[in-house]
Short mmCIF file of all heavy atoms in Angstrom, two decimals:
data_model
loop_
_atom_site.label_atom_id
_atom_site.label_comp_id
_atom_site.label_asym_id
_atom_site.label_seq_id
_atom_site.Cartn_x
_atom_site.Cartn_y
_atom_site.Cartn_z
N SER A 43 -73.99 9.93 -31.83
CA SER A 43 -73.69 8.59 -32.06
C SER A 43 -72.28 8.08 -31.83
O SER A 43 -72.01 7.19 -31.33
CB SER A 43 -74.21 8.11 -33.43
OG SER A 43 -75.62 8.37 -33.61
N LEU A 44 -71.35 8.79 -32.52
CA LEU A 44 -69.83 8.40 -32.42
C LEU A 44 -69.39 8.43 -31.04
O LEU A 44 -68.62 7.41 -30.57
CB LEU A 44 -69.10 9.21 -33.38
CG LEU A 44 -69.35 8.83 -34.77
CD1 LEU A 44 -68.48 9.86 -35.74
CD2 LEU A 44 -69.09 7.48 -35.14
N PRO A 45 -69.60 9.61 -30.27
CA PRO A 45 -69.14 9.60 -28.75
C PRO A 45 -69.81 8.45 -28.08
O PRO A 45 -69.19 7.88 -27.15
CB PRO A 45 -69.58 10.91 -28.29
CG PRO A 45 -69.63 11.85 -29.46
CD PRO A 45 -70.19 10.90 -30.52
N ALA A 46 -71.13 8.15 -28.31
CA ALA A 46 -71.77 7.11 -27.58
C ALA A 46 -71.23 5.74 -27.81
O ALA A 46 -70.95 4.90 -26.99
CB ALA A 46 -73.25 6.99 -28.08
N LEU A 47 -70.82 5.52 -29.19
CA LEU A 47 -70.10 4.27 -29.53
C LEU A 47 -68.77 4.07 -28.88
O LEU A 47 -68.44 2.99 -28.40
CB LEU A 47 -69.91 4.36 -31.12
CG LEU A 47 -69.29 3.01 -31.84
CD1 LEU A 47 -70.18 1.86 -31.58
CD2 LEU A 47 -69.17 3.31 -33.24
N LYS A 48 -67.93 5.19 -28.84
CA LYS A 48 -66.65 5.20 -28.31
C LYS A 48 -66.76 4.81 -26.72
O LYS A 48 -65.94 3.85 -26.27
CB LYS A 48 -65.94 6.57 -28.33
CG LYS A 48 -64.64 6.63 -27.84
CD LYS A 48 -63.99 7.97 -28.01
CE LYS A 48 -62.49 7.91 -27.60
NZ LYS A 48 -62.41 7.84 -26.14
N VAL A 49 -67.61 5.44 -26.02
CA VAL A 49 -67.85 5.03 -24.73
C VAL A 49 -68.32 3.64 -24.47
O VAL A 49 -67.79 2.88 -23.59
CB VAL A 49 -68.84 6.07 -24.01
CG1 VAL A 49 -69.22 5.59 -22.47
CG2 VAL A 49 -68.37 7.46 -23.88
N MET A 50 -69.34 3.17 -25.26
CA MET A 50 -69.84 1.92 -25.15
C MET A 50 -68.74 0.81 -25.34
O MET A 50 -68.67 -0.20 -24.62
CB MET A 50 -70.96 1.62 -26.22
CG MET A 50 -71.69 0.29 -26.02
SD MET A 50 -72.69 -0.18 -27.46
CE MET A 50 -71.25 -0.68 -28.59
N LEU A 51 -67.88 0.99 -26.33
CA LEU A 51 -66.77 -0.08 -26.66
C LEU A 51 -65.78 -0.10 -25.45
O LEU A 51 -65.05 -1.04 -25.45
CB LEU A 51 -66.16 0.23 -27.97
CG LEU A 51 -67.15 0.02 -29.20
CD1 LEU A 51 -66.41 0.41 -30.49
CD2 LEU A 51 -67.70 -1.31 -29.30
N GLU A 52 -65.82 0.77 -24.58
CA GLU A 52 -64.71 0.75 -23.46
C GLU A 52 -65.37 0.17 -22.26
O GLU A 52 -64.69 -0.01 -21.20
CB GLU A 52 -64.24 2.27 -23.14
CG GLU A 52 -63.45 2.86 -24.23
CD GLU A 52 -63.22 4.38 -24.00
OE1 GLU A 52 -63.76 4.81 -22.98
OE2 GLU A 52 -62.55 4.97 -24.81
N VAL A 53 -66.59 -0.33 -22.35
CA VAL A 53 -67.32 -0.78 -21.15
C VAL A 53 -67.08 -2.33 -20.86
O VAL A 53 -66.86 -2.67 -19.69
CB VAL A 53 -68.87 -0.52 -21.23
CG1 VAL A 53 -69.64 -1.29 -20.20
CG2 VAL A 53 -69.13 0.91 -21.11
N ALA A 54 -67.11 -3.07 -21.93
CA ALA A 54 -66.99 -4.59 -21.83
C ALA A 54 -65.85 -5.06 -21.01
O ALA A 54 -66.12 -5.99 -20.20
CB ALA A 54 -67.03 -5.15 -23.15
N PRO A 55 -64.67 -4.49 -21.19
CA PRO A 55 -63.53 -5.01 -20.27
C PRO A 55 -63.81 -4.82 -18.81
O PRO A 55 -63.39 -5.78 -17.96
CB PRO A 55 -62.35 -4.20 -20.79
CG PRO A 55 -62.67 -3.72 -22.13
CD PRO A 55 -64.12 -3.47 -22.21
#
Side-chain angles (χ1 to χ4, degrees):
S43 297
L44 291 179
L47 182 64
K48 182 176 183 297
V49 171
M50 185 198 74
L51 293 177
E52 294 172 355
V53 169

